[in-house]
Amino acid sequence: MKFRRSPISCLMLSICSFHAAASGILRDETASAYLGSAGAGRAADIGASAAFNNPAGLTYLDHKAFQGTLLLVEDTFTFHDNGSSGNNADFDQRKKDTDYGKGFSGGGSLFYGQPLGEKWGVGFAFASPAGGATDFGDNWIGSNFIESVEVMVAVAVASVGYRINDQWSVGLSAGISYMAWELDMDPFPGASENLDLDSFEPVWSVSVMYQPWSHTRLGLRYTPGVTHEVTGKTTMTTPMGTLIDHASQEFNLADQAVLSLDHQLTPKLSLLADVEWAQWSDWEESRIIHDNGPTIVVDRDWKDAWSAGIGLSYQVAPDWTLKAGIAYDESSVSKAIHKLDPPADRQIAYAAGLGWQLSDSTRFDLSYQYMDLGDVELNQSIEGFDPIAGAPFSQQIVGQSEAHLHIVNLSLSKRF
């Protein structure tokens, strides 16, 4: 990848830096109490969060139900240099290695569901299934590519479920997805640029729930992909002054399908499982268009990705439940074309959770998940122009990066 003779020559970090990942990138169990099972079983949900996880599950509600969650995330990124080179004036002063921890970032979700007659269930969900922030600083070797990034995706949907018979239910949700993307970088020595872009797009999903026996549920949800064309202002500060521009960038979020199982093995022990597919092969390139500047094209050529998870839920006492799970996500990016974004290869999630039934109508869940995002071998180049020095510059990043996440979810559920 080479950007030639541009004062804004850089890599624009894509949506892949989301702290949530599955089927290569997006993992949506962070929005609900299913974090404690590593997402296993979420499409077989029959609580308030079914308004998000599987609207067909709303038909199982016999009371009004509410769930609120609080999400805390800590991410760490490590880069080890293996011979990077560059002729820009400040290259030798830059840190060749970096070990960066953001500290805590967070978010939250709200879910509501209620029965409507004997066969219908309705609900609403406001959730942030993906987002994150990373700040590498302006003195590391890759700041010409990226200095810091913040990404958030939030969705608000209305959902409805219909029970066909004792075994089959179907569901539908529709609403709005909001994406915000902010990037800071150093396009050439002595300069810094900020891009602050966002967009709204419609979203929908369809789902089905099958209960062959009273102790077994299978849930399937399909969510079509969304193309967010984020637009907004860019500000570049240089010794020659400040330049204001506008830019746009398309992010193609994949079609996703998830199949889940919730099977009661014994009166106290349940098996939870998931298989998920995401069609990332439609994303061939990233194209950032400046109104009064360059168009930057980054080849992607991603591939479809699968993930699978398995978990257990065990009632250790009448009011206490333990959960545990593990999930494996294959990478949507082949090793041959891996770039600084995403800072992830294959991903493995290890999770545990504790549920406390405070009363007949109130439940509290505490969940923890550790995500190993794998190791990435990097060999990435950039060619740009330094208008201050009046000369072109080049840089090549060669090294290895690794990243991991600690995620904590607090959830309160209430029946009315």
Side-chain angles (χ1 to χ4, degrees), residues 310-326:
I310 189 168
L312 293 172
S313 176
Y314 181 68
Q315 187 174 354
V316 295
D319 298 334
W320 294 91
T321 303
L322 293 177
K323 282 185 177 181
I326 184 172

mmCIF file of all heavy atoms in Angstrom, residues 310-326:
data_model
loop_
_atom_site.group_PDB
_atom_site.id
_atom_site.type_symbol
_atom_site.label_atom_id
_atom_site.label_comp_id
_atom_site.label_asym_id
_atom_site.label_seq_id
_atom_site.Cartn_x
_atom_site.Cartn_y
_atom_site.Cartn_z
ATOM 1 N N ILE A 310 -18.864 -22.337 23.056
ATOM 2 C CA ILE A 310 -19.565 -23.310 23.893
ATOM 3 C C ILE A 310 -19.479 -22.847 25.335
ATOM 4 O O ILE A 310 -18.471 -22.268 25.761
ATOM 5 C CB ILE A 310 -18.976 -24.724 23.723
ATOM 6 C CG1 ILE A 310 -19.863 -25.751 24.417
ATOM 7 C CG2 ILE A 310 -17.537 -24.793 24.217
ATOM 8 C CD1 ILE A 310 -19.523 -27.190 24.059
ATOM 9 N N GLY A 311 -20.562 -23.055 26.073
ATOM 10 C CA GLY A 311 -20.587 -22.622 27.460
ATOM 11 C C GLY A 311 -21.479 -23.503 28.307
ATOM 12 O O GLY A 311 -22.242 -24.347 27.799
ATOM 13 N N LEU A 312 -21.381 -23.294 29.629
ATOM 14 C CA LEU A 312 -22.197 -24.010 30.594
ATOM 15 C C LEU A 312 -22.805 -23.026 31.572
ATOM 16 O O LEU A 312 -22.176 -22.014 31.921
ATOM 17 C CB LEU A 312 -21.366 -25.042 31.363
ATOM 18 C CG LEU A 312 -20.816 -26.237 30.568
ATOM 19 C CD1 LEU A 312 -19.859 -27.036 31.430
ATOM 20 C CD2 LEU A 312 -21.959 -27.128 30.061
ATOM 21 N N SER A 313 -24.017 -23.328 32.025
ATOM 22 C CA SER A 313 -24.676 -22.561 33.072
ATOM 23 C C SER A 313 -25.088 -23.535 34.165
ATOM 24 O O SER A 313 -25.801 -24.520 33.899
ATOM 25 C CB SER A 313 -25.901 -21.829 32.515
ATOM 26 O OG SER A 313 -26.599 -21.147 33.542
ATOM 27 N N TYR A 314 -24.630 -23.263 35.406
ATOM 28 C CA TYR A 314 -24.866 -24.212 36.502
ATOM 29 C C TYR A 314 -25.457 -23.482 37.704
ATOM 30 O O TYR A 314 -24.904 -22.485 38.176
ATOM 31 C CB TYR A 314 -23.572 -24.903 36.904
ATOM 32 C CG TYR A 314 -23.759 -25.924 38.014
ATOM 33 C CD1 TYR A 314 -24.467 -27.101 37.784
ATOM 34 C CD2 TYR A 314 -23.230 -25.700 39.283
ATOM 35 C CE1 TYR A 314 -24.651 -28.041 38.787
ATOM 36 C CE2 TYR A 314 -23.399 -26.639 40.298
ATOM 37 C CZ TYR A 314 -24.118 -27.806 40.048
ATOM 38 O OH TYR A 314 -24.302 -28.736 41.040
ATOM 39 N N GLN A 315 -26.581 -23.967 38.192
ATOM 40 C CA GLN A 315 -27.229 -23.382 39.354
ATOM 41 C C GLN A 315 -26.645 -24.009 40.613
ATOM 42 O O GLN A 315 -26.997 -25.122 40.997
ATOM 43 C CB GLN A 315 -28.751 -23.601 39.299
ATOM 44 C CG GLN A 315 -29.505 -22.874 40.388
ATOM 45 C CD GLN A 315 -31.012 -22.990 40.239
ATOM 46 O OE1 GLN A 315 -31.501 -23.525 39.243
ATOM 47 N NE2 GLN A 315 -31.753 -22.492 41.214
ATOM 48 N N VAL A 316 -25.737 -23.285 41.271
ATOM 49 C CA VAL A 316 -25.025 -23.827 42.428
ATOM 50 C C VAL A 316 -25.866 -23.742 43.693
ATOM 51 O O VAL A 316 -25.613 -24.452 44.674
ATOM 52 C CB VAL A 316 -23.691 -23.103 42.640
ATOM 53 C CG1 VAL A 316 -22.757 -23.362 41.470
ATOM 54 C CG2 VAL A 316 -23.902 -21.606 42.833
ATOM 55 N N ALA A 317 -26.856 -22.850 43.701
ATOM 56 C CA ALA A 317 -27.761 -22.674 44.841
ATOM 57 C C ALA A 317 -29.047 -22.081 44.297
ATOM 58 O O ALA A 317 -29.092 -21.606 43.162
ATOM 59 C CB ALA A 317 -27.128 -21.770 45.896
ATOM 60 N N PRO A 318 -30.137 -22.098 45.071
ATOM 61 C CA PRO A 318 -31.401 -21.570 44.550
ATOM 62 C C PRO A 318 -31.313 -20.161 43.990
ATOM 63 O O PRO A 318 -32.022 -19.833 43.033
ATOM 64 C CB PRO A 318 -32.315 -21.627 45.781
ATOM 65 C CG PRO A 318 -31.776 -22.756 46.607
ATOM 66 C CD PRO A 318 -30.290 -22.690 46.409
ATOM 67 N N ASP A 319 -30.431 -19.319 44.549
ATOM 68 C CA ASP A 319 -30.338 -17.924 44.107
ATOM 69 C C ASP A 319 -29.067 -17.607 43.329
ATOM 70 O O ASP A 319 -28.860 -16.453 42.942
ATOM 71 C CB ASP A 319 -30.415 -16.983 45.321
ATOM 72 C CG ASP A 319 -31.742 -17.094 46.061
ATOM 73 O OD1 ASP A 319 -32.735 -17.471 45.417
ATOM 74 O OD2 ASP A 319 -31.764 -16.834 47.280
ATOM 75 N N TRP A 320 -28.201 -18.605 43.095
ATOM 76 C CA TRP A 320 -26.901 -18.334 42.484
ATOM 77 C C TRP A 320 -26.671 -19.246 41.279
ATOM 78 O O TRP A 320 -26.929 -20.448 41.325
ATOM 79 C CB TRP A 320 -25.763 -18.553 43.491
ATOM 80 C CG TRP A 320 -25.796 -17.574 44.626
ATOM 81 C CD1 TRP A 320 -26.444 -17.732 45.820
ATOM 82 C CD2 TRP A 320 -25.171 -16.307 44.668
ATOM 83 N NE1 TRP A 320 -26.257 -16.633 46.607
ATOM 84 C CE2 TRP A 320 -25.471 -15.737 45.933
ATOM 85 C CE3 TRP A 320 -24.376 -15.576 43.779
ATOM 86 C CZ2 TRP A 320 -25.005 -14.484 46.320
ATOM 87 C CZ3 TRP A 320 -23.903 -14.326 44.161
ATOM 88 C CH2 TRP A 320 -24.235 -13.794 45.408
ATOM 89 N N THR A 321 -26.161 -18.637 40.207
ATOM 90 C CA THR A 321 -25.868 -19.371 38.973
ATOM 91 C C THR A 321 -24.472 -18.995 38.490
ATOM 92 O O THR A 321 -24.107 -17.806 38.484
ATOM 93 C CB THR A 321 -26.890 -19.044 37.866
ATOM 94 O OG1 THR A 321 -28.194 -19.327 38.334
ATOM 95 C CG2 THR A 321 -26.608 -19.863 36.619
ATOM 96 N N LEU A 322 -23.716 -19.983 38.077
ATOM 97 C CA LEU A 322 -22.394 -19.767 37.501
ATOM 98 C C LEU A 322 -22.445 -20.040 36.004
ATOM 99 O O LEU A 322 -23.115 -20.969 35.549
ATOM 100 C CB LEU A 322 -21.348 -20.679 38.149
ATOM 101 C CG LEU A 322 -21.010 -20.431 39.613
ATOM 102 C CD1 LEU A 322 -20.018 -21.481 40.107
ATOM 103 C CD2 LEU A 322 -20.427 -19.031 39.800
ATOM 104 N N LYS A 323 -21.706 -19.225 35.232
ATOM 105 C CA LYS A 323 -21.559 -19.433 33.797
ATOM 106 C C LYS A 323 -20.085 -19.447 33.429
ATOM 107 O O LYS A 323 -19.265 -18.789 34.066
ATOM 108 C CB LYS A 323 -22.248 -18.311 33.003
ATOM 109 C CG LYS A 323 -23.753 -18.410 32.893
ATOM 110 C CD LYS A 323 -24.290 -17.313 31.982
ATOM 111 C CE LYS A 323 -25.786 -17.426 31.804
ATOM 112 N NZ LYS A 323 -26.307 -16.365 30.888
ATOM 113 N N ALA A 324 -19.768 -20.184 32.367
ATOM 114 C CA ALA A 324 -18.421 -20.176 31.815
ATOM 115 C C ALA A 324 -18.512 -20.527 30.342
ATOM 116 O O ALA A 324 -19.446 -21.231 29.913
ATOM 117 C CB ALA A 324 -17.511 -21.168 32.540
ATOM 118 N N GLY A 325 -17.568 -20.012 29.554
ATOM 119 C CA GLY A 325 -17.602 -20.308 28.128
ATOM 120 C C GLY A 325 -16.299 -19.970 27.447
ATOM 121 O O GLY A 325 -15.442 -19.264 28.000
ATOM 122 N N ILE A 326 -16.155 -20.487 26.246
ATOM 123 C CA ILE A 326 -14.990 -20.208 25.416
ATOM 124 C C ILE A 326 -15.456 -20.096 23.970
ATOM 125 O O ILE A 326 -16.376 -20.819 23.558
ATOM 126 C CB ILE A 326 -13.901 -21.300 25.572
ATOM 127 C CG1 ILE A 326 -12.650 -20.942 24.767
ATOM 128 C CG2 ILE A 326 -14.447 -22.671 25.170
ATOM 129 C CD1 ILE A 326 -11.477 -21.875 25.046
#
